[in-house]
Amino acid sequence: MRGSKIAGLGHYLPENIVSNDQLAQLMDTSDEWITKRTGIRERRWVVGDVGATDLAVPAAQQALAEAGLQASDLDMILFATLSPDINFPGSSCLLQARLGVPGIATLDIRNQCTGFVYGLSIADQFIRSGAMKNVLVVGAEVHSSGLDISTRGRDVAVLFGDGAGAAVLTATEGDSRLLDSALHADGTDYEILMLEAPASRLQPRLTAEMMEQGRHFPQMVGQAVFKHAVKRLPEVIDEVLSRNGLSVADVALMVPHQANLRINEMVARQIGIDPARVYNNIQRYGNTTAASIPIALHEAVLEGRVKQGDTVLLAAFGAGLTWGANLIRW
Ligand code: UT7
């Protein structure tokens, strides 16, 4: 039966490392607070005018090279980001132009931290149906240019990092494939994690007063988001495993979204997975939202943590609220 498999992965991180101590020079925070509450020790922040697509290009090229494909082999580009280079058109169009493949389908995915999980599922559907053969799925973010790096924004600013990850999905008839995905959203509480302005629902969309109030920066009710995450992640993991006749014991490696090390440790305890089978790299990169899973998955593969035949589980949670999981037979 036709399905899709990950034929190549790539990732790219800006060189500029920003430590917790450096942030403590900009705002009232400390290495101790950030490490204890989140696990984050450092993150990468771009320098100068660099957009999500600038980070996506090398990640995409690496994924194509790993897959042994050219950009001209692609049928579609899916670009998951909450930090598009410009308001419109979408970053998938910018990336398509940079890869030099005019004419192929492009789509931006606005599902925040769950964007890459949605992207793999969308790509899989197009490939499974026979409509397409090769689809590039990218998650890329530049957060640093949009954070409030004063004490007012410290609860959010210390969490986020810049980066990009990419996967090339290709058609297969073999056993190595994306087995299943579970996708969810609940917009009821969208305001607990959002970036409001510039906003089409406001006239004008952005004013100097709104900027003084910080309404052009992300706002988060951290504890509420945390509670949703530790409820929804175990739920969706159980959903995707049980409907495929699998249990946590069958999972060789889980790659969760990297929002907070404490969330991932709590989820691991709840579902009863050995922490050695959970891949975390938030310590080095912070939360790169849509990019976090492809970056972590690629690092795990490069470190030899995944071998052919393994069952790999990806799970994400984020603004929207959105959450989801992919189950992969490697
Ligand atoms: O990927 C998107 C999804 N996002 C998430 O999953 C984030 C989920 N939430 C979290 O990870 C956590 O809620 C945070 C890491 C954001 C915050 O941790 P917390 O343990 O929930 O802290 P808190 O919000 O309850 O704040 C505790 C204290 C407060 O001070 P008071 O009121 O106790 O005096 C905050 O003002 O910590 C203070 N605080 C800080 N202190 C030093 C908040 N941010 C900072 C900071 N440095 N950066």
Side-chain angles (χ1 to χ4, degrees):
M1 201 180 72
R2 186 180 169 102
S4 72
K5 68 166 186 181
I6 294 180
L9 288 160
H11 73 278
Y12 179 79
L13 292 146
E15 281 171 21
N16 178 39
I17 297 172
V18 179
S19 68
N20 292 344
D21 285 336
Q22 279 171 279
L23 293 185
Q25 287 165 15
L26 302 169
M27 61 189 87
D28 181 13
T29 191
S30 65
D31 176 48
E32 193 201 348
W33 191 96
I34 301 170
T35 310
K36 200 169 143 214
R37 307 265 177 161
T38 72
I40 301 166
R41 297 191 174 275
E42 59 189 38
R43 74 285 294 138
R44 307 294 180 94
W45 281 3
V46 300
V47 177
D49 295 341
V50 176
T53 299
D54 296 307
L55 306 185
V57 168
Q61 287 169 337
Q62 199 177 28
L64 284 164
E66 254 196 25
L69 295 173
Q70 309 287 325
S72 56
D73 296 315
L74 294 172
D75 300 304
M76 178 161 69
I77 296 173
L78 303 176
F79 198 130
T81 186
L82 61 70
S83 52
D85 302 63
I86 52 178
N87 272 300
F88 74 84
S91 290
S92 56
C93 292
L94 278 66
L95 180 60
Q96 187 225 48
R98 292 278 290 277
L99 294 177
V101 283
I104 67 167
T106 65
L107 178 67
D108 274 43
I109 300 175
R110 296 291 311 272
N111 287 60
Q112 299 65 247
C113 306
T114 321
F116 188 79
V117 167
Y118 268 77
L120 286 188
S121 178
I122 295 167
D124 182 56
Q125 300 304 325
F126 275 96
I127 293 172
R128 217 181 262 237
S129 71
M132 293 186 180
K133 191 171 170 215
N134 301 311
V135 178
L136 174 67
V137 186
V138 173
E141 307 280 7
V142 173
H143 285 289
S144 55
S145 54
L147 297 171
D148 179 357
I149 52 168
S150 70
T151 297
R152 181 181 65 176
R154 66 181 180 173
D155 58 327
V156 172
V158 302
L159 304 176
F160 291 100
D162 305 336
V168 173
L169 266 73
T170 194
T172 182
E173 299 284 336
D175 293 336
S176 295
R177 60 171 59 213
L178 182 54
L179 295 174
D180 197 7
S181 303
L183 307 177
H184 295 283
D186 179 355
T188 316
D189 289 329
Y190 78 94
E191 286 169 328
I192 67 171
L193 180 49
M194 70 166 179
L195 195 167
E196 185 190 16
S200 68
R201 65 183 180 180
L202 300 176
Q203 295 200 23
R205 291 181 177 192
L206 184 64
T207 61
E209 192 192 354
M210 285 162 67
M211 290 183 73
E212 268 164 38
Q213 294 164 346
R215 288 165 72 182
H216 60 308
F217 292 126
Q219 312 290 329
M220 180 171 73
V221 185
Q223 288 193 6
V225 177
F226 194 105
K227 280 182 195 147
H228 277 283
V230 296
K231 178 170 182 281
R232 294 306 194 183
L233 285 168
E235 263 177 29
V236 76
I237 288 166
D238 179 56
E239 176 189 350
V240 78
L241 285 174
S242 58
R243 79 170 173 224
N244 287 277
L246 297 171
S247 73
V248 167
D250 299 306
V251 175
L253 190 71
M254 174 163 104
V255 181
H257 168 52
Q258 305 290 303
N260 185 326
L261 193 58
R262 283 195 298 141
I263 291 177
N264 291 352
E265 288 170 350
M266 212 177 269
V267 169
R269 270 200 303 279
Q270 280 187 62
I271 65 170
I273 192 170
D274 177 356
R277 290 192 279 128
V278 181
Y279 192 86
N280 287 307
N281 62 7
I282 189 170
Q283 300 90 333
R284 288 175 280 134
Y285 306 133
N287 181 351
T288 58
T289 53
S292 89
I293 286 183
I295 294 171
L297 180 61
H298 195 210
E299 285 198 340
V301 171
L302 293 175
E303 289 170 21
R305 300 277 298 270
V306 183
K307 59 180 193 312
Q308 202 181 345
D310 278 353
T311 299
V312 177
L313 176 67
L314 314 180
F317 176 89
L321 300 169
T322 55
W323 63 101
N326 310 114
L327 192 60
I328 302 168
R329 174 70 34 79
W330 208 260

